[in-house]
Amino acid sequence: MRLLWRCALVHSVALHSGGVNALHPSGVKIFYDPRHATHSNAKGHPETPRRVDDCRRALEKTDATWQYLKQARTDAEESVRRVHSNQHISRVKKASKFYRFGRTRLAVDTYAKRGSHQTMLRAQSLWLDAVDHASIQNELAVALSRPPGHHASRHVADGFCLYNFAAGAAAYALDVLGKDWVALLDFDVHHGNGVAAYADEEARVMYASAHQAPLWPNTGDDPSDQGLLGNRLNACVKRGADAVEFCGAWDRCLKFVADRVSGSNGLLVVSAGFDALLEDPLAQCRLRPQDYVRIGRATKDAAETLGVPVVLGLEGGYSTKVGDAFAHSIRPWLGDDADLVEVEAAPKLARRVEVCESNQLPEPGALRCVSTKHGPLTIATTSDGAAYALQKRLPPYGLATRFYGDFDGQVRTIKDRGSGTKFYVDSGDVRGPWCPAILPKRPLARRRRLPADYRDASAIQTARLDVVDGVATASSDELEAVLSAAPRQLYPKLRKRRRRRRLVTQRSFARAAQNDRATVATSIKNGELRTAAVTSTGLELGYYLVRLPDEPTPGTDDALSAILHGGDSTKVERDSRRGTAKVAAGVAVFVEPAARGRNIGEVLFKEAMRACRALDFRYMLFVERDGGSGKLVKWYEAMGFRVVPPDVLPGLDRAMVGYLPSDQTFYDVEGVGLDVEKYS
């Protein structure tokens, strides 16, 4: 079987490198590593080998030529050392040694395992081969690599990224090929904080990024920030951005580069992330796969105007449609959209009707039923103040929107508690899987399958509300669609399944959250500490999640000294075994809205602090999620935490750090009806 596989591989390379390339002298060449799956992350991690496999299957349907990587280049590690410190490379190598079993956590969400370092060198080799090819041939060179790299900085692995491949390719083009300048362009939905840090060190580089803000890693959200050298652009888009807004941001990136470069001895290196798709689980933009044709066409036109080659490499993208989006992005170089002209439809001038007074609208981030001239309407207001009227019932159960919809004003979604389906309130489209709570994990026999109406994605009707002179108005057509949306009838099989699951009503759920006695317990699993408040009936009222990193984070000791100890590094409590302070990372906290009057948040937080102290951790670091009022920051400051200045820990904006006291009386708090099982 191994011999047959090798023969098939050689045949594929010969086929793609021969006749097809001659037919497309200005086409696309894809550099691919068939051994990319030797690096993998923890179970359930969104960054999996499937991403590249999906892209390969979609790209094989195009006329692009292929080149398979046989072995890592001898200069791959040298390219990595141009943009990373020796200490960081040694840390990755140590985690990749053969005697290591399982995975080593290098950051909160970033892992290395046996052989990861060599796999990273192979990925860097793809980018270097792409730079060489693009500099010689009149073709688009594509590095089909994984994992992403644009979050990795000189000393730190972060955001699934171990090494920064785009920065390594840029440094190679400047120092080895003698390019006068390199423009690093990035349309991944997350800001490339690692590439931005590299641009702050290299004046011959420009970095322009189109990304959603606010969004992890919570950097690049200031459009006026052009970096230390004035060579960076943050082209931010808001949550829920569509293709028009996102492509407009990409055009600003291309114009930023065109206005600042001179001469044709340059190179465009594009970090291609396809996580702005509507289906992506880690962001909230609303692009379709075909929208990436516009991004590819704009990039090709800019490169032809500047007279420079283009290298494109895969970064993020975690939905099943990444491959389709990738295939659409390279279409302009294959010449199959030359006659494609998009004509924007003329907007319809719909009549506006009055809905209610502006003072009746819920607060930002809230949802409630409002009495209007058209009858009771459920209205949701997102965290940025946009208001929407929603249909009364959610498919497929037909449960009331007001009572059975869990609204998240930050992500702009409403979740049907019965089926688990999430809907965007601004568009009504489904976000993520359809009915994840009721569809079986294993496929049923054909005679038992649910009807197509319940298996296929649906939508809810929404109407955008505009406030003018104290009155909220809506389009008459949109409002009519909301009012006439027929509630779904509960399917009999779903009704039986609902009875078996014993779904609680909103009223009984709220009553239990407010009154039932609960126990606060601490558990540790896979390096994560979790304190949770659970009632005797199994209802979880809230939780606090902390990660316990094995490896120290570079620069943390200096930050602790500057923020908590007045610059006196001798006061930093360090672990005797590893010589650095042990810092726990707070990840997430949630308390059911109906239970937030019981002081559960403070109890959970202090119990997590107590448990971390018992595990010899002396400090805790986390990113606060204050909505802008400042109340949450003051709440943490009252417990001894301090805000970390942005320049102290690069890449951690809005972070807070605090000392875990040894005085046990600090952790004694009272919660209404809470029993605490103290961790020992």
Side-chain angles (χ1 to χ4, degrees):
M1 289 300 294
R2 182 176 299 176
L3 179 61
L4 290 174
W5 181 83
R6 288 180 179 174
C7 292
L9 181 62
V10 172
H11 174 73
S12 177
V13 174
L15 176 63
H16 286 299
S17 301
V20 179
N21 190 29
L23 295 175
H24 297 279
S26 297
V28 178
K29 189 159 192 175
I30 300 173
F31 296 84
Y32 172 69
D33 177 17
R35 296 179 58 189
H36 66 88
T38 54
H39 168 78
S40 61
N41 292 290
K43 184 178 180 181
H45 200 282
E47 204 291 307
T48 65
R50 175 193 57 80
R51 301 173 56 241
V52 169
D53 295 336
D54 289 347
C55 292
R56 177 181 55 81
R57 284 190 289 268
L59 294 172
E60 282 178 344
K61 299 177 182 179
T62 69
D63 290 337
T65 61
W66 289 74
Q67 179 170 314
Y68 286 70
L69 183 70
K70 296 181 180 179
Q71 60 184 8
R73 291 173 47 140
T74 56
D75 60 345
E77 185 166 337
E78 181 183 355
S79 297
V80 171
R81 291 188 184 277
R82 291 190 181 96
V83 295
H84 291 287
S85 65
N86 292 332
Q87 294 81 359
H88 174 62
I89 297 174
S90 298
R91 193 179 305 115
V92 177
K93 282 185 175 180
K94 181 180 178 181
S96 305
K97 291 293 185 180
F98 68 93
Y99 57 82
R100 287 273 185 176
F101 294 95
R103 296 173 178 83
T104 300
R105 192 194 302 271
L106 297 179
V108 172
D109 51 10
T110 307
Y111 300 84
K113 58 174 292 188
R114 178 180 174 180
S116 288
H117 172 70
Q118 190 63 27
T119 307
M120 298 304 107
L121 295 185
R122 294 173 66 88
Q124 183 69 78
S125 300
L126 296 178
W127 287 72
L128 300 182
D129 287 345
V131 171
D132 287 339
H133 182 81
S135 301
I136 298 173
Q137 302 292 334
N138 184 26
E139 286 188 322
L140 169 68
V142 175
L144 185 54
S145 64
R146 60 168 291 271
H150 67 155
H151 294 305
S153 58
R154 183 169 293 277
H155 306 288
V156 179
D158 198 12
F160 316 160
C161 309
L162 299 180
Y163 294 149
N164 199 319
F165 307 125
Y172 171 78
L174 293 170
D175 298 339
V176 179
L177 301 185
K179 297 291 185 182
D180 294 335
W181 56 268
V182 174
L184 289 157
L185 296 158
D186 191 342
F187 60 78
D188 189 287
V189 79
H190 301 90
H191 179 246
N193 53 318
V195 182
Y198 170 67
D200 286 340
E201 302 174 358
E202 177 56 74
R204 295 173 294 175
V205 161
M206 282 156 292
Y207 178 58
S209 172
H211 56 271
Q212 176 185 325
L215 187 65
W216 192 94
N218 301 309
T219 59
D221 52 1
D222 183 2
S224 63
D225 179 16
Q226 294 191 357
L228 301 177
L229 304 176
N231 58 345
R232 292 198 283 110
L233 173 68
N234 298 323
C236 310
V237 300
K238 296 181 179 180
R239 293 186 179 95
D242 57 10
V244 175
E245 184 176 354
F246 199 90
C247 292
W250 184 245
D251 291 339
R252 294 199 301 274
C253 293
L254 297 173
K255 186 177 185 301
F256 176 83
V257 171
D259 292 342
R260 284 165 175 76
V261 300
S262 60
S264 58
N265 187 28
L267 176 68
L268 298 185
V269 177
V270 181
S271 292
F274 299 94
D275 34 12
L277 290 168
L278 172 66
E279 295 79 10
D280 194 273
L282 302 184
Q284 297 87 42
C285 290
R286 296 189 289 124
L287 271 66
R288 304 164 300 167
Q290 53 268 36
D291 294 329
Y292 283 91
V293 176
R294 300 168 62 179
I295 292 178
R297 188 185 309 118
T299 307
K300 181 174 183 290
D301 293 343
E304 291 177 348
T305 302
L306 296 172
V308 295
V310 183
V311 172
L312 188 146
L314 178 63
E315 292 285 358
Y318 308 98
S319 70
T320 57
K321 295 189 177 181
V322 171
D324 293 340
F326 207 149
H328 279 88
S329 69
I330 66 172
R331 277 177 50 192
W333 281 273
L334 296 173
D336 61 353
D337 77 325
D339 298 326
L340 182 63
V341 178
E342 294 186 359
V343 179
E344 296 288 344
K348 292 184 176 180
L349 300 178
R351 185 172 65 90
R352 308 290 297 183
V353 295
E354 180 180 339
V355 177
C356 63
E357 300 291 333
S358 60
N359 56 12
Q360 294 180 264
L361 299 178
E363 295 294 325
L367 176 146
R368 73 180 182 189
C369 185
V370 176
S371 297
T372 70
K373 297 180 179 180
H374 311 278
L377 276 176
T378 301
I379 296 180
T381 304
T382 62
S383 60
D384 57 4
Y388 299 87
L390 311 176
Q391 71 180 52
K392 295 181 180 180
R393 296 186 177 275
L394 298 170
Y397 276 129
L399 303 178
T401 305
R402 177 189 172 192
F403 295 111
Y404 298 96
D406 293 331
F407 178 57
D408 190 333
Q410 291 255 344
V411 189
R412 311 166 73 94
T413 59
I414 184 170
K415 177 182 177 181
D416 175 16
R417 187 173 296 165
S419 67
T421 309
K422 295 180 180 179
F423 303 92
Y424 283 106
V425 297
D426 49 0
S427 66
D429 297 328
V430 172
R431 179 195 176 201
W434 170 251
C435 297
I438 62 174
L439 291 181
K441 294 183 179 179
R442 296 180 179 178
L444 300 174
R446 182 176 297 275
R447 62 184 178 83
R448 294 180 59 196
R449 283 186 179 176
L450 301 175
D453 290 344
Y454 296 92
R455 286 189 281 109
D456 298 336
S458 184
I460 60 173
Q461 295 291 339
T462 67
R464 172 68 184 264
L465 303 182
D466 295 325
V467 178
V468 179
D469 296 332
V471 177
T473 63
S475 164
S476 59
D477 295 340
E478 292 182 358
L479 186 62
E480 180 63 29
V482 168
L483 295 173
S484 61
R488 294 287 188 95
Q489 296 297 323
L490 193 62
Y491 186 63
K493 291 182 180 179
L494 299 184
R495 183 182 292 110
K496 294 177 183 178
R497 190 167 300 179
R498 181 186 172 196
R499 291 199 192 101
R500 287 198 301 267
R501 289 177 178 268
R502 296 182 180 178
L503 296 178
V504 297
T505 64
Q506 176 71 12
R507 182 175 300 175
S508 62
F509 177 87
R511 187 184 301 113
Q514 294 169 2
N515 303 316
D516 284 6
R517 196 163 192 84
T519 301
V520 177
T522 303
S523 61
I524 298 178
K525 183 179 180 182
N526 297 330
E528 293 183 345
L529 183 147
R530 195 173 192 269
T531 59
V534 183
T535 66
S536 58
T537 59
L539 174 62
E540 186 175 84
L541 303 183
Y543 66 87
Y544 195 89
L545 183 66
V546 182
R547 288 190 179 145
L548 310 173
D550 296 328
E551 299 290 337
T553 302
T556 306
D557 287 10
D558 295 337
L560 297 174
S561 172
I563 299 170
L564 300 178
H565 301 293
D568 188 354
S569 60
T570 60
K571 293 184 178 180
V572 178
E573 296 189 19
R574 294 179 170 86
D575 181 56
S576 59
R577 180 178 59 85
R578 62 183 186 181
T580 59
K582 293 186 69 174
V583 184
V587 177
V589 60
F590 175 75
V591 178
E592 286 289 348
R596 290 177 185 174
R598 302 177 61 177
N599 201 30
I600 291 178
E602 184 176 358
V603 174
L604 292 174
F605 183 60
K606 287 198 172 182
E607 273 308 300
M609 293 173 64
R610 184 207 302 271
C612 290
R613 176 78 191 193
L615 294 169
D616 293 330
F617 284 86
R618 293 296 181 261
Y619 302 91
M620 181 179 289
L621 175 74
F622 56 85
V623 177
E624 54 85 7
R625 303 295 182 185
D626 194 294
S629 64
K631 294 181 180 178
L632 187 59
V633 174
K634 294 179 180 178
W635 188 79
Y636 283 120
E637 287 178 339
M639 286 188 281
F641 283 78
R642 298 292 178 262
V643 176
V644 179
D647 56 341
V648 174
L649 286 178
L652 280 179
D653 290 359
R654 304 187 184 92
M656 298 191 74
V657 64
Y659 177 71
L660 304 179
S662 58
D663 183 7
Q664 293 300 311
T665 60
F666 170 81
Y667 304 103
D668 293 337
V669 293
E670 290 189 3
V672 181
L674 294 177
D675 301 320
V676 179
E677 294 181 357
K678 296 182 179 180
Y679 179 84
S680 59

